[in-house]
Amino acid sequence: GYTYYSIPRPKKGQKRPTVESFAKEHKEGIYLPIVANHYVCIKNGDWLDTWNSGYLSVYGYWKKD
């Protein structure tokens, strides 16, 4: 089981978290952040992808229960 969490649209002048910043803030657990037309796996603060997607903005994420 996974639970979905939305990241609200940021206020003017603010930006969404990136994959890299999200991973730094989520050091424990398994997450599947949603970026533009793509999913990334973050496990215990390390992101796993076929390319460096650390700069992409996170729109929402699934968290392993």
Side-chain angles (χ1 to χ4, degrees), residues 5-25:
Y5 297 90
S6 175
I7 295 180
R9 182 177 294 213
K11 295 179 183 176
K12 188 174 182 179
Q14 295 178 333
K15 295 185 176 185
R16 293 181 187 271
T18 62
V19 170
E20 183 175 13
S21 67
F22 185 90
K24 286 180 181 177
E25 293 176 14

Side-chain angles (χ1 to χ4, degrees), residues 5-59:
Y5 297 90
S6 175
I7 295 180
R9 182 177 294 213
K11 295 179 183 176
K12 188 174 182 179
Q14 295 178 333
K15 295 185 176 185
R16 293 181 187 271
T18 62
V19 170
E20 183 175 13
S21 67
F22 185 90
K24 286 180 181 177
E25 293 176 14
H26 297 85
K27 293 285 188 185
E28 293 183 18
I30 298 173
Y31 301 87
L32 297 172
I34 301 167
V35 298
N37 301 314
H38 191 67
Y39 288 87
V40 181
C41 177
I42 295 177
K43 183 176 181 181
N44 298 327
D46 295 318
W47 78 84
L48 309 167
D49 204 344
T50 56
W51 51 287
N52 184 359
S53 58
Y55 65 93
L56 294 175
S57 297
V58 177
Y59 293 92

